[in-house]
Amino acid sequence: MVRKIPKGFEMEEQLRNYFMQSGYFVVRGVPFVYEGFDVTDIDLWLYSRESSLTRNITIVDVKNKKTPQAIERIFWAKGLAKAVSANNVIVATTDKRKEVKDFGLDLDVLVLDGVFLSKLSKSEGFLKNRFSDEEFEEEIEKYSLGKLDGDWKGQILKCKSLLANEISFDSCNQWLEVSRFFAEQILTKPSQLDVALRCFYYSLSLFSIGVDYILKELSFLEHDERVGKLVEGFTYGSKGQEGVTKMLSLSLSLVEQFAAEGRSISSQVRSKVMADFDSLPTNIIGEYFAKADVGKTIFSTAKELEFLAMSRDFRNHSESSLELRATIGCLLDCWEINRKEFSFSINA
């Protein structure tokens, strides 16, 4: 049964469905946090892959009110787009005045006006096959201990909020960590299997989008060089090995100056930290995502994962595309999770 959602949120879901049908990867309700302050939510965050060299991020501001204040929303959305490094801006408003669309055109903001929205609102059944965001959150909240057991809902909101920053290896590594968290919950919380799988698929869909975005910058590199860049990024983050080494050296120089036996301690810490980095099995995912055929399909894999997470008629990935199953298998190997054990858990 499709649960009735508030009118404003319903319009966001209708627009999400419209953009998904147009080929976009769409996320609703992306929190924009600045210096620890919750500033606002991005109503819709759109991602498109137009070629091997081109990726576009678009934000959509949706106002389905009697007095939408469309001109003000255009200003607001334009500023928000700059803050979150979006390429394009769309304002969806019930206002039908021609002047509003003209003003948006002057500021390079596409306005979807009341005429467009009235046609959109006549479409039915857009939530027949998938959950709304509200229903997805309700599914997560059915696990009464979720808040105490790692904050399941908070983990998903954190994943979304990373989209409001420029996508980088740092954000990919955080999505990877959340995906690993839910993979472990799948193994240890059989009573919460379905919701753990949904969260696993969702966080992994965002990770896949992040990888696709990063691959844009690596498309001209030779295979071995691409592998090296990916391994370094998944190991050391956006700063790379050189940046991490400099930061470590700066920190340890203080230890050398002010701690007793500072040089000895510094040497031990440096050796331990670098050994920990070297022991990370990131070469597995670096080599996998460097493959040309994987790079070509990772965007469609992300959309498939998102659909699995939000599907009203839930099913696990055992019958999904070969590309999706291979991606999950690769990550399980990286996390040293036995594939057969994982498969047994999701099909138990």
Side-chain angles (χ1 to χ4, degrees):
M1 179 179 177
V2 179
R3 185 175 75 81
K4 185 67 176 177
I5 58 179
K7 185 178 179 182
F9 295 157
E10 183 180 18
M11 181 58 72
E12 291 179 17
E13 288 289 348
Q14 287 176 322
L15 281 165
R16 190 225 295 258
N17 180 65
Y18 170 79
F19 286 115
M20 286 178 60
Q21 295 300 317
S22 300
Y24 289 89
F25 182 91
V26 187
V27 181
R28 217 193 106 204
V30 173
F32 175 45
V33 181
Y34 182 77
E35 299 293 340
F37 293 97
D38 295 327
V39 179
T40 188
D41 279 359
I42 301 169
D43 293 331
L44 295 176
W45 185 92
L46 316 181
Y47 180 90
S48 63
R49 174 190 173 122
E50 298 178 5
S51 72
S52 61
L53 303 176
T54 307
R55 312 289 190 272
N56 276 301
I57 295 171
T58 302
I59 64 167
V60 185
D61 185 72
V62 183
K63 285 296 168 285
N64 187 23
K65 297 180 178 180
K66 291 182 178 180
T67 55
Q69 298 178 317
I71 298 293
E72 290 86 342
R73 297 312 303 180
I74 291 173
F75 276 121
W76 168 261
K78 189 69 175 179
L80 181 59
K82 183 175 179 59
V84 302
S85 302
N87 305 107
N88 305 298
V89 192
I90 298 174
V91 170
T93 172
T94 51
D95 199 314
K96 298 180 181 180
R97 291 175 294 169
K98 177 180 180 297
E99 292 78 6
V100 173
K101 296 189 74 171
D102 290 342
F103 184 70
L105 187 62
D106 289 341
L107 292 185
D108 198 25
V109 175
L110 174 64
V111 176
L112 303 178
D113 66 2
V115 176
F116 175 86
L117 295 183
S118 64
K119 294 177 181 178
L120 190 68
S121 63
K122 294 176 183 177
S123 62
E124 298 179 354
F126 60 94
L127 287 176
K128 181 180 179 181
N129 297 320
R130 56 178 289 129
F131 282 156
S132 66
D133 265 32
E134 287 72 21
E135 290 173 299
F136 182 39
E137 290 182 5
E138 284 181 2
E139 288 296 305
I140 299 174
E141 290 171 345
K142 285 180 181 178
Y143 179 33
S144 58
L145 297 178
K147 180 69 174 178
L148 298 175
D149 190 15
D151 191 6
W152 288 27
K153 181 180 175 181
Q155 296 268 19
I156 295 301
L157 289 176
K158 181 179 76 171
C159 283
K160 284 186 174 185
S161 70
L162 294 173
L163 295 171
N165 302 314
E166 188 170 357
I167 295 175
S168 65
F169 276 112
D170 288 343
S171 46
C172 282
N173 288 341
Q174 290 184 68
W175 284 318
L176 203 56
E177 191 60 34
V178 174
S179 298
R180 178 175 185 168
F181 168 80
F182 284 115
E184 292 170 347
Q185 302 309 302
I186 289 165
L187 295 173
T188 59
K189 305 288 189 310
S191 64
Q192 305 301 322
L193 178 62
D194 284 5
V195 68
L197 274 166
R198 286 184 185 275
C199 293
F200 174 66
Y201 296 145
Y202 193 83
S203 56
L204 197 53
S205 73
L206 299 182
F207 168 74
S208 299
I209 286 295
V211 172
D212 181 73
Y213 185 84
I214 286 171
L215 287 176
K216 172 194 66 169
E217 303 296 333
L218 307 180
S219 58
F220 284 121
L221 300 180
E222 294 294 330
H223 175 77
D224 289 347
E225 191 175 1
R226 192 158 60 245
V227 171
K229 291 288 186 182
L230 288 169
V231 171
E232 181 180 13
F234 289 131
T235 303
Y236 297 99
S238 300
K239 288 184 173 64
Q241 183 174 3
E242 183 178 351
V244 169
T245 301
K246 286 182 178 179
M247 184 174 62
L248 181 62
S249 296
L250 178 62
S251 301
L252 293 180
S253 67
L254 298 175
V255 175
E256 293 177 5
Q257 291 181 54
F258 301 108
E261 301 182 1
R263 289 187 178 277
S264 175
I265 296 173
S266 172
S267 178
Q268 293 176 32
V269 171
R270 186 188 302 276
S271 297
K272 179 64 169 63
V273 170
M274 298 313 294
D276 287 345
F277 276 123
D278 290 340
S279 68
L280 294 174
T282 48
N283 62 302
I284 296 174
I285 51 177
E287 290 173 0
Y288 176 76
F289 288 111
K291 296 177 181 177
D293 56 340
V294 173
K296 291 177 182 177
T297 59
I298 192 65
F299 178 58
S300 59
T301 296
K303 292 193 287 185
E304 190 178 0
L305 282 163
E306 194 270 351
F307 181 78
L308 282 178
M310 303 294 282
S311 179
R312 192 170 294 279
D313 182 18
F314 181 72
R315 59 183 176 84
N316 65 46
H317 66 276
S318 58
E319 298 180 2
S320 296
S321 68
L322 176 62
E323 292 81 8
L324 186 151
R325 287 181 282 130
T327 296
I328 290 178
C330 167
L331 295 176
L332 292 176
D333 292 345
C334 176
W335 298 328
E336 298 180 343
I337 294 175
N338 185 277
R339 292 195 189 194
K340 289 185 178 179
E341 181 183 354
F342 191 82
S343 179
F344 178 80
S345 295
I346 68 171
N347 291 299

